[in-house]
Amino acid sequence: MSDTDGKKPLGLRTGARPGNVKQSFSHGRTKNVVVETKRKRVVVPKPGAASKPGAGSSSAPMGNPAKRPAGISDAEMERRLKAVQAAKARESEEAAEREAEERARAEERERRRAEQEAKEREEREREESLRAKAEEDERRKREAEEAAKAAAAAPVVEEPAAARQGGPKQGDAGRGKSQAPDRDRDQQNKRGKGSGDANRRSGKLTVNQALAGGEGGRQRSMAAMKRKQERARQKAMGGPVEREKVVREVQLPEAIMVSELANRMAERVGEVVKALMQNGMMVTQNQSIDADTAELIIEEFGHKVVRVSDSDVEDVIKEVEDAPEDLQDRPPVITIMGHVDHGKTSLLDAIRNAKVVAGEAGGITQHIGAYQVKTDGGQVLTFLDTPGHAAFTSMRSRGAQVTDIVVLVVAADDAVMPQTIEAINHAKAAGVPMIVAINKVDKPAANPDKVRTDLLQQEVIVEKMSGDVQDVEVSAATGQGLDELLEAIALQAEILELKANPDRAAQGAVIEAQLDVGRGPVATVLVQNGTLRQGDIFVVGEQYGKVRALINDKGDRVKEAGPSVPVEVLGLNGTPEAGDVLNVTETEAQAREIAAYREQQAKDKRAAAGAATTLEQLMANAKADENVSELPIVVKADVQGSAEAIVQAMEKIGNDEVRVRVLHYGVGAITETDVGLAEASNAPIMGFNVRANASARNTANQKGVEIRYYSVIYDLVDDVKAAASGLLSAEIRENFIGYATIKEVFKVTGVGKVAGCLVTEGVARRSAGVRLLRDDVVIHEGTLKTLKRFKDEVPEVQSGQECGMAFENYDDIRDGDVIEIFEREEVTRTLA
């Protein structure tokens, strides 16, 4: 037995390639091993083996078994040959497909290249044509200018008739031929001198420049053309010529900035500053100088001075007389006047079938109301309902200033009272006719003849007493005499022949103004002349604005309001004073300028009224103040007219020893600023139909500031009078015990609207009084019909709990309204 025992010895096989491989192990150990890489055997049949004639596909591989690899059968050999042939066929097909794709891509590239070249060629041709056209236009323009210059500089030489007719002489034929190339050469030389021509522009010519005439859409200004002509004229005359001085009229206000002065004179700012420095004033262009200094500078530059004043800004709203043919008939404006509780508002309600009196506190009208009524005969009447209390004297006065007819209401069961006399005086001062309406004739105690006799003492003689003043006996409760009253008003309006021009800028009077939380400043305006339209820009007193919306007396939005039409105007920048005049301007800048001037004038007037000019006056004022006790108060009201009336009533309270001083009055809810002012001056805050917001209430509680709320104006006046005189009797004081917020409103059959509330502060009691607040303004005061917790009627609900509330005889409640719960108690007041 041999050492191998029939096994193949280890070694390198034929057809294998040896190689060394380095193996890596852990701990840095390595090992080199020898490996064999076998080569892939490829069997390629002989070319002539399968192409012999008469030889089948199965016999070809078996033709020469000696050359066949070992261990390959005939079937395996045949299968391998078929695979090789299929691979070659597939390769040939793929090569053909690749070649076709390459050919198609090459054709596509050639086509795109040709299209791009054609497009670029067309673009170049178009640009060249445009450039040539522009050059031709420029050349023609230059030739025309040169011809004009030559014609202006040299005398015109008359050409022979034959030359003008275009027929050259025989002797000039050759010379004309020789001159043509010279002329062309001259034109080429001129075109070549691009740098010396002032009309040419350097840079690349673009398509926009070519299409727009060579300047790219920019045209030379008239000033530039005039300067060019001036330079050409100076050059032709052989020297510089002084330009004629343009003398301007310069409007000069009381103070003007240096730059603005230079602009108005059309002079350079540097020259004006230099002239000021030569006069000893070191100023810059942004500093202001007085009118006298500016006048010296203007005269130094040779201009004329036109002095203007700040009040000239109001010249744009000066009254313009209307032509008689432009005037048209307008409705009359009737003002209802009279004493307290004589039935003015009830009479107007009966006329217009409304219920305004139900919304007034205590049945007393607190604001001026403006309404339009259409009679059965189709005539439109505008009524102004003024309050009758003595505190509203100024408001009634404004009503008389804008009215055409005054209806004086006197109760038949009463007599001529002080406010009736005031109404008569206002009507006489305004110079308007008066109609006496003797109201409440249906009452048993009515005595109209006594009223007529009392009016005689005021020099008012009615027709029944052989006078010229119409008198009508009416009853607002039964409607008696209303037709006769309207007939008397229509007759009086027909006699007056009231006319206005509706086709001009509107002018009107502010009847009332208030600050609405949701809508901003709102003014009730009675248009007196022209037509007020939505979008008009206007100035009213110290305020201005743009009409954002117009609302008529029925609460509907309208686009315009003509003469004698009362509307609410929205869009002011601030709350105007009741009685201010509204004027429409052309621009907002004019309105802003006029409002700023008026505001400054009012500020200067107030400063002058409160300042003492001499030391003796200061000493006298200080000595007088030592002996006078003051009661300072802060007043906030819901509308401007009420605030003014309260302030005027406060000024009348007092004597040599005590007086009431209004520190501040305004319109809107009571704020923290008001509380801070009252706390610094140790003054109470009087709120008329307004409430303090939450932050102001908290601040007032912390600082101990007293806030009193009123809904009837003479209650406020009487309280202040009693406090100032020291005659303080027991009063009914209101203690606020809680606040509740309405979260949702439910409709319950048989009950009406029920408010689902959350008590946010204090406690809600069934027996307490309640007020409904909307945007911190009181809209209802009354008692609760029901107070329920779940389904049970409860006497009170604590803070943080939900409950249901229903008001007695009132259903206008909304989500988000606040319910104020209070209790009244009698307390003895002392003057601190």
Side-chain angles (χ1 to χ4, degrees):
M1 181 179 291
S2 64
D3 294 333
T4 60
D5 291 335
K7 296 181 181 180
K8 294 183 179 180
L10 293 176
L12 297 177
R13 293 183 179 178
T14 305
R17 292 181 296 176
N20 292 330
V21 176
K22 186 176 183 181
Q23 294 181 336
S24 297
F25 300 97
S26 62
H27 303 289
R29 294 181 292 113
T30 57
K31 181 181 180 182
N32 290 328
V33 296
V34 178
V35 297
E36 294 181 355
T37 303
K38 291 187 177 181
R39 293 180 180 175
K40 187 176 180 181
R41 181 178 296 171
V42 179
V43 180
V44 180
K46 292 184 178 181
S51 62
K52 291 181 180 180
S57 60
S58 60
S59 61
M62 296 178 294
N64 192 2
K67 295 183 179 181
R68 183 185 307 168
I72 302 296
S73 62
D74 294 342
E76 179 67 21
M77 192 68 187
E78 184 177 358
R79 195 161 50 247
R80 292 185 178 183
L81 289 176
K82 287 182 178 179
V84 171
Q85 292 173 359
K88 288 184 176 181
R90 192 162 52 250
E91 288 179 359
S92 61
E93 291 176 0
E94 291 177 355
E97 290 178 359
R98 283 195 299 271
E99 186 177 356
E101 290 178 359
E102 288 291 336
R103 203 162 39 244
R105 281 197 291 269
E107 292 176 357
E108 180 69 17
R109 283 195 297 271
E110 289 296 329
R111 183 180 64 79
R112 291 182 180 178
R113 189 181 297 110
E115 290 179 357
Q116 185 69 20
E117 290 177 355
K119 190 180 295 185
E120 291 177 356
R121 188 165 52 254
E122 292 177 0
E123 185 70 21
R124 282 197 302 272
E125 291 175 357
R126 188 166 68 87
E127 290 182 358
E128 289 175 359
S129 63
L130 292 174
R131 189 182 299 111
K133 182 179 179 182
E135 291 178 356
E136 181 67 20
D137 293 342
E138 187 71 20
R139 184 181 61 79
R140 290 178 180 175
K141 182 179 178 182
R142 198 161 51 247
E143 288 178 357
E145 291 179 357
E146 292 176 356
K149 290 180 181 179
V156 179
V157 180
E158 292 290 337
E159 292 181 355
R164 285 198 304 269
Q165 294 175 359
K169 295 181 180 180
Q170 294 180 358
D172 294 339
R175 189 169 56 203
K177 292 180 182 179
S178 63
Q179 286 177 353
D182 295 339
R183 194 163 52 246
D184 294 341
R185 188 166 52 254
D186 293 340
Q187 294 295 336
Q188 291 177 1
N189 291 336
K190 289 180 181 179
R191 284 197 298 268
K193 298 177 182 179
S195 59
D197 194 350
N199 290 326
R200 287 185 62 84
R201 295 288 183 269
S202 61
K204 184 179 180 182
L205 181 68
T206 62
V207 177
N208 288 335
Q209 290 177 342
L211 292 177
E215 292 292 336
R218 293 180 60 186
Q219 300 294 332
R220 303 187 74 177
S221 64
M222 290 297 297
M225 294 297 295
K226 288 180 179 179
R227 287 195 297 269
K228 179 180 177 182
Q229 293 175 359
E230 183 71 16
R231 287 195 297 268
R233 187 169 67 87
Q234 291 179 2
K235 186 176 180 181
M237 296 183 68
V241 179
E242 285 293 331
R243 190 172 59 180
E244 185 179 355
K245 180 73 174 181
V246 179
V247 179
R248 292 178 171 83
E249 290 186 352
V250 182
Q251 292 186 350
L252 182 60
E254 296 175 1
I256 188 172
M257 289 179 59
V258 176
S259 57
E260 179 64 22
L261 177 62
N263 289 336
R264 294 187 182 187
M265 293 191 301
E267 303 286 350
R268 293 179 180 176
V269 180
E271 297 293 333
V272 178
V273 173
K274 182 179 178 181
L276 286 167
M277 289 183 177
Q278 290 175 353
N279 287 316
M281 294 188 63
M282 307 298 290
V283 295
T284 63
Q285 62 177 357
N286 295 325
Q287 288 180 325
S288 297
I289 56 176
D290 60 295
D292 296 334
T293 305
E295 184 175 357
L296 294 176
I297 298 300
I298 294 171
E299 291 176 351
E300 184 177 337
F301 279 89
H303 300 291
K304 295 181 179 179
V305 179
V306 179
R307 285 285 189 122
V308 295
S309 176
D310 291 341
S311 60
D312 293 342
V313 297
E314 298 204 23
D315 291 344
V316 296
I317 57 173
K318 281 189 175 179
E319 190 70 25
V320 179
E321 290 293 333
D322 296 313
E325 59 271 12
D326 296 335
L327 299 177
Q328 300 180 15
D329 293 335
R330 66 171 178 85
V333 180
I334 303 101
T335 301
I336 309 292
M337 289 186 176
H339 190 67
V340 177
D341 200 27
H342 275 200
K344 301 181 300 300
T345 307
S346 300
L347 180 62
L348 183 58
D349 290 340
I351 294 174
R352 68 189 191 101
N353 296 324
K355 288 295 180 184
V356 176
V357 71
E360 298 290 348
I364 300 170
T365 304
Q366 306 290 338
H367 313 141
I368 289 185
Y371 319 101
Q372 273 200 325
V373 176
K374 193 170 185 180
T375 62
D376 296 336
Q379 186 175 8
V380 178
L381 306 176
T382 300
F383 284 92
L384 294 183
D385 182 19
T386 58
H389 191 265
F392 291 88
T393 301
S394 60
M395 297 171 66
R396 268 203 318 278
S397 175
R398 284 194 294 271
Q401 288 170 4
V402 298
T403 190
D404 301 314
I405 302 171
V406 169
V407 175
L408 182 65
V409 179
V410 186
D413 60 345
D414 204 344
V416 176
M417 303 300 288
Q419 283 74 41
T420 310
I421 299 173
E422 290 177 8
I424 294 171
N425 294 333
H426 289 312
K428 289 181 178 179
V432 294
M434 185 166 32
I435 299 174
V436 177
I438 304 176
N439 196 16
K440 302 182 181 181
V441 295
D442 58 321
K443 288 195 173 183
N447 188 359
D449 291 333
K450 181 179 182 300
V451 173
R452 297 186 179 98
T453 305
D454 291 345
L455 288 174
L456 288 175
Q457 300 177 7
Q458 307 301 325
E459 300 179 357
V460 177
I461 307 173
V462 299
E463 289 181 345
K464 203 165 185 180
M465 307 287 289
S466 302
D468 55 354
V469 178
Q470 301 183 71
D471 64 314
V472 183
E473 296 182 5
V474 296
S475 173
T478 63
Q480 174 187 346
L482 295 182
D483 294 336
E484 290 82 358
L485 179 61
L486 293 177
E487 185 179 348
I489 293 173
L491 178 61
Q492 188 65 57
E494 188 176 350
I495 295 173
L496 294 175
E497 295 182 355
L498 302 171
K499 294 181 180 294
N501 181 14
D503 301 324
R504 56 167 289 180
Q507 178 181 345
V510 177
I511 302 301
E512 191 52 87
Q514 61 180 337
L515 182 62
D516 193 297
V517 176
R519 300 183 297 172
V522 180
T524 302
V525 176
L526 178 67
V527 181
Q528 296 173 292
N529 209 349
T531 301
L532 184 62
R533 297 179 175 84
Q534 188 172 343
D536 283 350
I537 298 169
F538 62 90
V539 59
V540 49
E542 301 173 22
Q543 313 297 333
Y544 70 96
K546 184 177 182 181
V547 179
R548 193 171 73 239
L550 295 173
I551 302 174
N552 62 11
D553 57 319
K554 299 179 181 62
D556 302 327
R557 284 203 172 194
V558 294
K559 294 292 184 182
E560 59 183 24
S564 301
V565 177
V567 287
E568 281 189 341
V569 178
L570 279 68
L572 294 99
N573 71 323
T575 307
E577 301 287 337
D580 286 342
V581 178
L582 180 143
N583 295 97
V584 173
T585 59
E586 295 181 359
T587 63
E588 187 175 352
Q590 290 179 348
R592 190 186 301 112
E593 193 173 11
I594 295 171
Y597 166 71
R598 291 178 177 176
E599 184 178 2
Q600 185 63 38
Q601 289 293 105
K603 189 181 298 184
D604 295 343
K605 188 181 296 184
R606 288 192 294 268
T613 56
T614 63
L615 183 60
E616 289 77 8
Q617 291 178 353
L618 286 171
M619 297 292 290
N621 291 344
K623 187 175 182 180
D625 291 340
E626 287 180 359
N627 301 323
V628 177
S629 299
E630 285 187 344
L631 174 63
I633 62 171
V634 176
V635 177
K636 292 300 286 289
D638 55 344
V639 294
Q640 188 72 33
S642 299
E644 288 183 4
I646 292 170
V647 171
Q648 291 181 3
M650 295 299 104
E651 291 175 352
K652 296 178 182 178
I653 298 174
N655 49 27
D656 296 338
E657 297 180 0
V658 64
R659 68 185 177 192
V660 177
R661 185 162 65 98
V662 179
L663 298 175
H664 169 71
Y665 75 95
V667 177
I670 299 171
T671 61
E672 283 188 88
T673 306
D674 302 324
V675 175
L677 176 61
E679 191 257 342
S681 305
N682 196 19
I685 300 176
M686 306 294 181
F688 180 74
N689 271 345
V690 296
R691 290 295 180 271
N693 53 36
S695 58
R697 285 200 306 270
N698 296 335
T699 306
N701 291 334
Q702 293 173 3
K703 297 183 177 181
V705 176
E706 182 182 10
I707 301 177
R708 295 193 180 188
Y709 300 127
Y710 298 90
S711 56
V712 177
I713 193 168
Y714 52 75
D715 287 347
L716 187 153
V717 176
D718 292 342
D719 277 1
V720 175
K721 278 184 179 178
S725 61
L727 302 176
L728 300 177
S729 59
E731 69 168 0
I732 305 298
R733 176 169 293 182
E734 294 176 355
N735 292 328
F736 299 107
I737 60 175
Y739 287 89
T741 304
I742 297 178
K743 296 297 184 181
E744 195 169 358
V745 179
F746 307 92
K747 289 186 179 180
V748 180
T749 306
V751 180
K753 288 186 177 180
V754 177
C757 305
L758 173 66
V759 181
T760 58
E761 185 178 341
V763 63
R765 288 198 180 97
R766 171 73 176 80
S767 59
V770 291
R771 289 193 185 95
L772 186 64
L773 308 181
R774 187 170 297 158
D775 295 330
D776 290 327
V777 176
V778 180
I779 62 173
H780 174 69
E781 179 179 341
T783 58
L784 290 177
K785 184 195 302 183
T786 178
L787 177 64
K788 288 191 175 184
R789 175 97 172 116
F790 299 105
K791 294 184 178 180
D792 302 324
E793 189 81 21
V794 293
E796 67 178 33
V797 178
Q798 297 295 327
S799 175
Q801 296 180 352
E802 295 182 346
C803 61
M805 295 185 188
F807 293 87
E808 195 79 38
N809 300 325
Y810 192 78
D811 282 337
D812 184 16
I813 53 179
R814 302 179 188 173
D815 298 347
D817 289 352
V818 177
I819 299 174
E820 183 181 81
I821 305 105
F822 62 93
E823 288 183 320
R824 292 187 174 94
E825 63 175 355
E826 287 190 3
V827 295
T828 302
R829 294 179 295 171
T830 58
L831 184 60

